[in-house]
Amino acid sequence: MGIHVIKMPDLGEGIAEVEVVAWHVKPGDTVKEDQVLADVMTDKATVEIPSPVNGTVTSLGGNLGEAMAVGAELIRLEVEGAGNFKGDTTAARQQTATPAPSAKAGSTAGTAEEFPPITVAQPETVVTTVTSAETAAPAQAARSAPAPAYTQGGAHTAAPSHHGRAPGEKPLAAPAVRQRAWDMGIELQYVTGSGPAGRISHADLDAFVSRGQQKAAEGDRRYAPLEGEQAMPLIGMRRKIAEKMAEAKRRIPHFTYVEEVDVTELEALRVQLNARYAGQRPKLTLLPLIMRAVVLAIRKYPSVNARFDDDANIVTTYNPVHLGIAAQTDAGLMVPVVRNAEARDPWSAAAEVARLADAARNGKALREELTGSTITITSLGALGGIVTTPVINRPEVAIVGINRIIDRPVIKDGAMVARKLMNLSSSFDHRVIDGMVAAEFIQTIRSYLECPATLFVE
């Protein structure tokens, strides 16, 4: 028997270290060739590390969340034959294994990328429940004890839940009784009525209070006190997102410009185009049309299509528009990139956005599909709110935020009419983009969206 040491592989592109985000094996496990041993994360990708040989795990080289240099020892296996470890194999076999959670308990906050033949891991989330010795007993008692009831004086009392009424049956009571019950904080469905057909009287309220019977329905824990807390380590993609957001806010002096846009005609055009080309072309949302408006506005204001290297103090403006589209995935926020958006019509853009979003959510996007954007669009769809303050995708200098569409009354040609209105909430890097330029850029986008025929006229 020998020892085979598996080292952290070189994942290319100048990567010097990676983060361990999941272990799929533990000491003592038997592994086969090509079996996944661990997930490690680079700046953009979660990569699965397979075993090159059959063997038994003797030790792990790091803990979850630990940064490991390329070439560092990742794992040791006991194998048939001599192995590749030339040291003391006896000591190696007796080495105490590094504690690490199993794959089931591990956390893989993955992102979407492939490095053939290495594949991308799917994300999981682990939440560790932390309960102190002082809170453990009360928490257990709270789980086993009935929910407390409140008397008129505010004291907690326990009482049976029987009220002689079928589940879901509405309690009968006069308006004055209902008002008094409301003032006393009593829920009538828990009060037993003594009148005809179970009608509740003032005397029943008094009896209820005296018996201390105000409590939630049997098994209802809405008012039960809670104990304990949850601690979730920020590792993998979640940590990368946290670091990038903090860095962007720390280094970029953001300013946000909000403008209202009437998208009534744009929405009508979208509906008409979808009806005309149903089954022939991809279905359009408003996003591809907004993408086109952004591309056309950049032709007039190219300074927003740029990246700022603030370490070298160099602003690089780009001729092609590589449009980042912020997308929410189970692993966290990702920004797939529609390359050369200026060369795509709305249907081509719609198809590419759908493809990239699906790849990101399924963990299949390539590294080059998640990097290199020159300006970003972000939208929460129906959850877009009225106004947002989007964070710039550093090192870009601008991000365009799309808020939800709302029907509102508008005075148009002297008459009040219903129109579909939407806000654009956009942030800019004030070191590079002046307020006037930002305002004119957004107003240009607005002009295209409010007169959508101009999207197709050069």
Side-chain angles (χ1 to χ4, degrees):
M1 303 291 287
I3 295 297
H4 187 96
V5 175
I6 301 174
K7 296 184 178 182
M8 187 66 69
D10 184 356
L11 301 178
E13 301 191 11
I15 294 172
E17 66 176 19
V18 297
E19 178 184 350
V20 179
V21 295
W23 286 109
H24 295 292
V25 296
K26 62 182 182 297
D29 285 355
T30 299
V31 300
K32 297 183 179 298
E33 185 177 354
D34 294 329
Q35 179 178 336
V36 175
L37 302 174
D39 295 342
V40 298
M41 186 173 186
T42 68
D43 288 341
K44 285 290 183 179
T46 298
V47 182
E48 294 179 342
I49 306 299
S51 173
V53 295
N54 299 329
T56 301
V57 179
T58 62
S59 66
L60 306 180
N63 296 314
L64 290 182
E66 183 177 335
M68 298 186 67
V70 171
E73 181 176 316
L74 178 68
I75 194 169
R76 288 192 181 199
L77 302 178
E78 187 176 56
V79 297
E80 296 289 342
N84 66 356
F85 182 68
K86 303 305 182 184
D88 185 349
T89 58
T90 302
R93 284 195 296 271
Q94 296 175 348
Q95 179 179 345
T96 302
T98 301
S102 65
K104 177 177 282 190
S107 171
T108 49
T111 182
E113 185 166 352
E114 288 181 345
F115 289 92
I118 301 173
T119 58
V120 177
Q122 293 295 332
E124 291 183 276
T125 302
V126 60
V127 177
T128 304
T129 301
V130 179
T131 306
S132 67
E134 291 79 10
T135 62
Q140 180 63 32
R143 287 192 293 270
S144 59
Y150 289 88
T151 66
Q152 187 174 7
H156 294 279
T157 60
S161 61
H162 175 69
H163 47 71
R165 191 175 299 109
E169 181 181 351
K170 184 177 180 180
L172 298 177
V177 174
R178 292 182 180 277
Q179 182 60 51
R180 185 184 174 205
W182 174 266
D183 294 338
M184 297 171 68
I186 297 175
E187 297 184 36
L188 288 178
Q189 65 263 38
Y190 307 131
V191 179
T192 300
S194 60
R199 179 178 290 273
I200 299 170
S201 65
H202 288 286
D204 294 326
L205 294 182
D206 295 335
F208 180 86
V209 172
S210 65
R211 292 193 304 267
Q213 287 188 338
Q214 183 184 5
K215 61 182 286 297
E218 185 174 359
D220 191 334
R221 305 292 294 166
R222 290 177 296 170
Y223 306 113
L226 301 177
E227 302 288 349
E229 59 189 28
Q230 290 75 41
M232 179 184 295
L234 282 184
I235 65 174
M237 173 57 77
R238 192 73 260 167
R239 183 161 74 179
K240 293 295 183 184
I241 293 173
E243 291 172 351
K244 188 165 185 177
M245 290 295 179
E247 188 75 356
K249 292 295 288 185
R250 184 178 70 84
R251 302 185 71 160
I252 299 176
H254 286 65
F255 77 95
T256 300
Y257 181 86
V258 181
E259 180 57 285
E260 187 176 70
V261 181
D262 186 337
V263 294
T264 307
E265 276 76 26
L266 185 69
E267 173 64 11
L269 175 63
R270 183 191 71 83
V271 172
Q272 185 178 13
L273 289 174
N274 283 336
R276 175 174 295 183
Y277 297 107
Q280 304 175 42
R281 296 183 178 184
K283 186 176 181 180
L284 291 178
T285 63
L286 285 185
L287 180 58
L289 300 173
I290 296 173
M291 291 169 62
R292 186 62 186 169
V294 170
V295 166
L296 295 177
I298 285 173
R299 293 181 181 178
K300 297 182 179 181
Y301 301 95
S303 61
V304 302
N305 189 47
R307 295 162 69 95
F308 180 33
D309 183 347
D310 47 8
D311 291 324
N313 210 32
I314 295 176
V315 178
T316 303
T317 303
Y318 295 85
N319 295 326
V321 180
H322 301 317
L323 198 51
I325 306 296
Q328 187 65 40
T329 72
D330 291 340
L333 181 65
M334 297 184 186
V335 186
V337 182
V338 178
R339 297 195 175 277
N340 293 102
E342 76 282 357
R344 296 181 180 274
D345 63 25
W347 292 276
S348 173
E352 182 66 357
V353 168
R355 184 190 71 81
L356 289 171
D358 183 68
R361 293 189 182 103
N362 293 321
K364 299 299 182 183
L366 303 177
R367 181 181 180 86
E368 55 267 25
E369 294 173 332
L370 297 171
T371 57
S373 54
T374 56
I375 187 171
T376 295
I377 292 178
T378 179
S379 171
L380 290 175
L383 300 176
I386 297 174
V387 173
T388 52
T389 54
V391 178
I392 295 170
N393 186 24
R394 184 176 175 270
E396 297 166 24
V397 300
I399 183 171
V400 178
I402 304 171
N403 298 121
R404 73 174 185 266
I405 298 174
I406 301 177
D407 288 329
R408 292 179 184 166
V410 174
I411 303 299
K412 188 175 181 66
D413 298 328
M416 182 176 291
V417 295
R419 306 290 290 180
K420 294 185 180 298
L421 301 180
M422 175 190 77
N423 285 348
L424 291 179
S425 300
S426 305
S427 295
F428 301 87
D429 186 337
H430 220 332
R431 298 173 298 179
V432 178
I433 306 298
D434 293 333
M436 180 66 72
V437 173
E440 290 176 345
F441 172 66
I442 297 301
Q443 291 298 333
T444 301
I445 294 175
R446 176 187 175 186
S447 68
Y448 283 121
L449 298 180
E450 292 189 340
C451 185
T454 56
L455 294 173
F456 303 93
V457 178
E458 296 295 332

